[in-house]
Amino acid sequence: MCWLLSHFSLNLHLQKMRQLIIFFLSLALAACGTYSKALKTKNMPEKYAYAKQYYDAQDYIRAIPLFEELLTHYKGTDSSEMIYYYYCYSNYGSGEFSDASYHFKNFTETFYNSDKIEECYFMYAKCEYKYSQPYYLDQTATQNGIEKLQLFINLFPNSERIPECNQYMDELRAKLQKKAYENAYLYYKIGNYQAAVSALKLLLDDYPDLQNVDEVEFLIVKSSYMLAKNSIERKKEVRYKNVVKEFKNIDTASEYYKEAESYNSKSLKAIDRISNIIIK
C-alpha cells in the first residue's frame, strides 16, 4: 500500500514538472514570436511601441536592434531625439559602456539644444568611469574617466550631479594610486632598489594624501640603504648619505621608525668608515 502511495506521489510530481516545463516553453515561444513580429513589422509606430516595451522591461538586447532601425527611419525628424536617447541608455543598460560612451557624447553634439544635454554629458563621463579596468590592468580608461568627469564639473559647476562625479573621481584616483604603489613595490621586491626609490618618491609626489605614507617613506629608506650597500665603492658614500637624508622624513611615531633608525645608524657608521679610509 505504501509503495502504491509513493508511486502515485512520484507520478503526480512528475506531471506537475511537465506542466511547468510546458508552461515556460510556451512563454518562451510566445516571447520569440512577439519579438519576431517586432523585428519584421514595417509599421514604425508599432515597432517603436515594441522597442519601448522591451526598454521598460530592461530587455536592452532586444530593444537595441529595434531602436537602430527606428533611428534610420526617423533620421532628421523630431522623433529622433528621444529614440536616440533610449538607444544610448539601452547600450548602457546592456553593459556596452564603450559604445554607450560614444553615443551619449554623440547625443550632446547632435542635439545640443536638448534639455537632456547635462544628463547625457554626465552619462558620457559615467560610461568612461564604468569602462575603467581593474588596477592591475592598463589604466588608460581610468585616466580618461577622470578627465571626462572633470570636464563635466567644469561645464556644469552648479549641477546636482557634482558630488557623484567627485565620488567616481576619488574611486578612479584610488585605483591609479594602488597601481602606482604596486609598481613601485615590485621594484623593491625584485631588488631593483634604484628604480624603487625613484618610483616610491614619485608616488608620494603624485599622491600626497596616500594612506600608507609611513610605509612608503620607510621603503624609501630601506631601498636607499640596500642600494648603497650593494653599490661600487666610489658611489657608496653619496648613497649612504642619501639614506641619512631620507631617514629625516620618518615620523618618530611610525611603526617603522625603529627599523628605519637601524638603517640610518648603519649608514652613519659606513660614512664614518669611508671617511677614515679617505683620510688615511
Side-chain angles (χ1 to χ4, degrees):
M1 186 67 175
C2 292
W3 179 85
L4 286 173
L5 287 173
S6 298
H7 185 67
F8 176 77
S9 178
L10 179 61
N11 284 339
L12 187 62
H13 177 72
L14 290 173
Q15 186 179 356
K16 286 182 178 179
M17 287 294 293
R18 282 195 293 269
Q19 287 173 345
L20 282 172
I21 291 169
I22 292 168
F23 173 72
F24 284 117
L25 281 174
S26 298
L27 286 179
L29 289 171
C32 290
T34 301
Y35 187 58
S36 178
K37 183 181 178 183
L39 288 170
K40 291 177 180 178
T41 184
K42 300 302 179 184
N43 184 324
M44 291 302 150
E46 184 182 18
K47 189 180 291 288
Y48 177 81
Y50 278 123
K52 188 64 168 55
Q53 179 182 331
Y54 287 120
Y55 176 86
D56 291 339
Q58 299 183 4
D59 189 350
Y60 303 115
I61 301 300
R62 283 191 171 96
I64 287 172
L66 299 177
F67 282 128
E68 285 176 345
E69 189 174 346
L70 289 163
L71 281 170
T72 301
H73 181 81
Y74 286 105
K75 185 177 180 180
T77 69
D78 292 341
S79 300
S80 61
E81 180 182 333
M82 282 307 299
I83 294 170
Y84 198 31
Y85 174 80
Y86 291 133
Y87 180 67
C88 292
Y89 269 105
S90 293
N91 278 277
Y92 177 83
S94 67
E96 297 294 335
F97 301 121
S98 180
D99 289 346
S101 173
Y102 168 81
H103 289 298
F104 276 119
K105 182 175 184 292
N106 193 48
F107 183 98
T108 65
E109 295 169 351
T110 305
F111 304 103
Y112 47 84
N113 289 322
S114 172
D115 60 358
K116 301 184 184 302
I117 282 291
E118 180 186 321
E119 178 188 353
C120 288
Y121 257 115
F122 171 73
M123 289 304 299
Y124 163 49
K126 187 174 181 178
C127 286
E128 294 293 319
Y129 155 78
K130 288 280 192 179
Y131 195 57
S132 172
Q133 302 298 302
Y135 80 90
Y136 48 83
L137 298 178
D138 180 71
Q139 292 302 296
T140 302
T142 302
Q143 293 281 11
N144 287 340
I146 292 172
E147 290 173 10
K148 300 308 180 291
L149 288 162
Q150 187 60 59
L151 173 63
F152 177 83
I153 291 172
N154 294 343
L155 289 171
F156 305 97
N158 300 316
S159 173
E160 62 182 19
R161 296 180 172 92
I162 298 294
E164 193 173 350
C165 286
N166 287 330
Q167 177 190 331
Y168 293 152
M169 290 174 72
D170 286 345
E171 290 178 28
L172 295 179
R173 289 192 187 105
K175 196 179 291 188
L176 292 178
Q177 178 180 304
K178 187 169 179 61
K179 174 86 169 182
Y181 169 80
E182 293 293 341
N183 286 345
Y185 188 77
L186 180 61
Y187 286 128
Y188 163 78
K189 194 172 181 180
I190 65 176
N192 189 343
Y193 298 114
Q194 188 166 14
V197 171
S198 298
L200 289 164
K201 284 186 175 182
L202 186 61
L203 179 64
L204 289 177
D205 288 341
D206 290 344
Y207 304 99
D209 58 342
L210 199 67
Q211 295 295 313
N212 58 333
V213 64
D214 286 354
E215 180 194 0
V216 172
E217 288 176 341
F218 164 72
L219 289 174
I220 291 173
V221 171
K222 185 174 181 179
S223 296
S224 297
Y225 174 77
M226 296 303 295
L227 176 63
K229 183 181 178 180
N230 294 293
S231 295
I232 57 176
E233 286 300 322
R234 64 185 177 84
K235 292 185 176 182
K236 282 189 174 183
E237 183 178 11
V238 172
R239 288 179 172 175
Y240 276 123
K241 286 180 178 179
N242 284 337
V243 178
V244 176
K245 178 184 174 183
E246 297 300 340
F247 174 70
K248 293 176 182 177
N249 295 322
I250 303 293
D251 190 333
T252 55
S254 168
E255 63 177 294
Y256 303 101
Y257 182 80
K258 188 173 181 179
E259 189 175 351
E261 189 178 32
S262 71
Y263 294 126
N264 181 64
S265 178
K266 290 175 184 177
S267 296
L268 288 171
K269 289 177 182 177
I271 293 167
D272 200 41
R273 177 182 57 78
I274 294 168
S275 297
N276 288 333
I277 292 172
I278 294 171
I279 291 171
K280 290 178 181 178

